[in-house]
């Protein structure tokens, strides 16, 4: 009897097809200030910390640095004193679906990739890398909205997923006159990477991400600094009826970890779409191609 098996966009793909080869490694004795400078230079979200034998010992992410800032540690603190572990990894030939499941299981946004030599890392896999690969795959699909429009096809295909179907509706917000201490407490409690900053009229005025907080620490701002002093402007958002494919394209082009979602009124934020949401959605529930196949 034929077996019906649901296949996803990622079925058959391997980690090596999406991973990046560049890993930013820093000695454990270097300062957090130096680590931040390396993050900025290579546009990285974390640094791999090595021990005295140049072996991988842990990682320091923007989350770890934000925690150090909140704890009142000086930015010249040694990276070895704030690094975290263990290092979660996968192999280059592992199925991409398994790697995504591992990320979700451990609550991480990246995996170090091992090759033939299991004791050596050959690359890094992030949610953004998976999203980029899936977007390229979907964009070439004959059922995609962009492809149909360019080819002038008038056939009826399943509609693309809309942002409002995937977004997180609860948007965490603070005030422009809240302190960075309060902002960091909110991010930690909600396990979020960014907070929307509202003005006195409850209109979106800016965004504070962990990147903004790390840069504030690098510049030696006080934790009692007000939110409007370091927030990023403007608030980048899309309409709730935007297709997920179009939202993905914008997030990739503009290098955004998340995009806020507005209603017909641009000043009314109704949700937020993160890279993790898009990666998980596109990994198996695309309306155009999630139909069961007979194997």
């Amino acid at each position: 009897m034929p077996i019906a098996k649901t296949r996803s966009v990622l079925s058959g793909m391997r980690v090596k097809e999406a991973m990046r080869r560049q890993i930013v490694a820093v000695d454990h004795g270097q300062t957090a200030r130096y680590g931040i400078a390396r993050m900025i230079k290579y546009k990285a979200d974390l640094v791999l910390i090595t021990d005295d034998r140049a072996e991988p010992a842990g990682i320091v992410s923007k989350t770890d640095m934000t925690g150090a800032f909140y704890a009142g540690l000086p930015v010249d603190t040694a990276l070895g004193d704030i690094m975290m572990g263990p290092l979660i990894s996968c192999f280059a030939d592992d199925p991409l679906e398994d790697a995504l499941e591992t990320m979700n299981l451990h609550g991480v946004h990246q995996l170090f990739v091992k090759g033939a030599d299991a004791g050596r890392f050959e690359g890094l896999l992030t949610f953004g890398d998976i999203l980029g690969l899936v977007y390229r795959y979907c964009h070439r699909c004959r059922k995609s909205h962009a492809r149909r429009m360019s080819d002038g096809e008038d056939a009826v295909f399943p509609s693309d997923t809309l942002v409002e179907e995937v977004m997180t509706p609860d948007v965490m917000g603070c005030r422009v006159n809240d302190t960075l201490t309060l902002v960091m407490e909110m991010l930690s409690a909600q396990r979020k990477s960014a907070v929307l900053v509202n003005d006195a009229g409850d209109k979106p005025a800016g965004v504070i991400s962990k990147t903004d907080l790390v840069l504030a620490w690098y510049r030696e701002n006080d934790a009692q600094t007000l939110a409007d002093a370091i927030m990023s402007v403007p608030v980048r958002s899309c309409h709730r009826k935007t297709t997920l494919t179009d939202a993905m394209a914008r997030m990739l082009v503009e290098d955004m970890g998340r995009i806020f979602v507005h209603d017909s009124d641009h000043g009314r934020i109704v949700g937020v779409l993160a890279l993790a949401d898009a990666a998980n959605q596109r990994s198996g529930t695309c309306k155009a191609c999630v139909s069961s196949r007979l194997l």
Side-chain angles (χ1 to χ4, degrees):
M1 179 178 178
I3 298 175
K5 182 179 180 180
T6 300
R7 297 175 62 86
S8 78
V9 178
L10 301 182
S11 296
M13 295 184 182
R14 302 291 171 180
V15 167
K16 60 186 176 184
E17 298 178 57
M19 74 179 196
R20 61 184 67 184
R21 296 286 179 178
Q22 183 184 71
I23 297 178
V24 183
V26 180
D27 182 81
H28 69 106
Q30 290 285 1
T31 66
R33 186 190 301 276
Y34 179 81
I36 295 171
R38 299 289 286 180
M39 283 182 171
I40 295 171
K41 180 177 180 179
Y42 293 104
K43 295 183 179 180
D45 290 327
L46 59 86
V47 289
L48 175 67
I49 308 302
T50 57
D51 59 21
D52 293 329
R53 297 176 298 174
E55 296 289 337
I59 64 170
V60 172
S61 66
K62 290 178 180 177
T63 299
D64 303 322
M65 290 185 172
T66 300
F69 182 23
Y70 178 77
L73 297 179
V75 73
D76 289 319
T77 299
L79 288 168
D81 292 336
I82 61 175
M83 73 177 185
M84 301 293 289
L87 299 173
I88 310 299
S89 62
C90 62
F91 286 93
D93 288 327
D94 284 347
L96 206 51
E97 288 176 304
D98 291 353
L100 186 59
E101 184 176 344
T102 299
M103 288 184 186
N104 290 329
L105 179 64
H106 292 278
V108 297
H109 290 177
Q110 67 285 315
L111 294 175
F112 288 95
V113 183
K114 298 177 180 178
D117 180 3
R120 178 174 173 270
F121 293 135
E122 293 192 349
L124 184 70
L125 178 71
T126 70
F127 267 129
D129 300 324
I130 296 175
L131 185 59
L133 178 64
V134 172
Y135 172 73
R136 292 193 297 273
Y137 182 95
C138 292
H139 190 69
R140 291 195 301 267
C141 176
R142 65 183 294 269
K143 296 180 177 63
S144 76
H145 175 73
R147 182 73 177 272
R148 297 202 310 272
M149 293 296 289
S150 62
D151 292 348
E153 297 181 18
D154 55 6
V156 177
F157 291 110
S159 59
D160 196 357
T161 303
L162 300 180
V163 167
E164 66 179 1
E165 299 175 55
V166 186
M167 70 180 190
T168 300
D170 298 324
V171 180
M172 182 172 56
C174 71
R175 300 282 187 177
V176 290
N177 58 352
D178 284 336
T179 66
L180 299 187
T181 295
L182 179 59
V183 171
M184 289 187 280
E185 289 174 349
M186 294 176 65
L187 290 175
S188 178
Q190 299 294 323
R191 298 178 64 86
K192 301 295 184 182
S193 61
V195 60
L196 183 69
V197 184
N198 296 310
D199 61 20
D202 281 333
K203 295 294 184 181
V207 177
I208 292 182
S209 66
K210 288 182 179 177
T211 299
D212 297 316
L213 290 167
V214 169
L215 289 175
W217 190 38
Y218 180 80
R219 295 166 183 152
E220 299 189 58
N221 288 111
D222 188 271
Q224 295 305 305
T225 300
L226 300 185
D228 61 354
I230 73 160
M231 67 183 186
S232 297
V233 294
V235 177
R236 291 184 284 185
S237 64
C238 66
H239 193 277
R240 64 189 306 160
K241 297 295 184 182
T242 302
T243 65
L244 185 57
T245 300
D246 290 341
M248 287 165 59
R250 185 177 172 192
M251 292 169 79
L252 291 169
V253 170
E254 299 184 27
D255 191 24
M256 293 186 288
R258 95 284 314 154
I259 187 168
F260 289 92
V261 184
H262 62 76
D263 211 334
S264 54
D265 177 4
H266 283 238
R268 183 169 178 263
I269 301 298
V270 295
V272 59
L273 177 72
L275 279 178
D277 301 324
N280 281 309
Q281 174 72 11
R282 280 306 195 191
S283 71
T285 54
C286 175
K287 292 180 180 178
C289 61
V290 76
S291 58
S292 298
R293 301 178 184 182
L294 297 180
L295 299 180

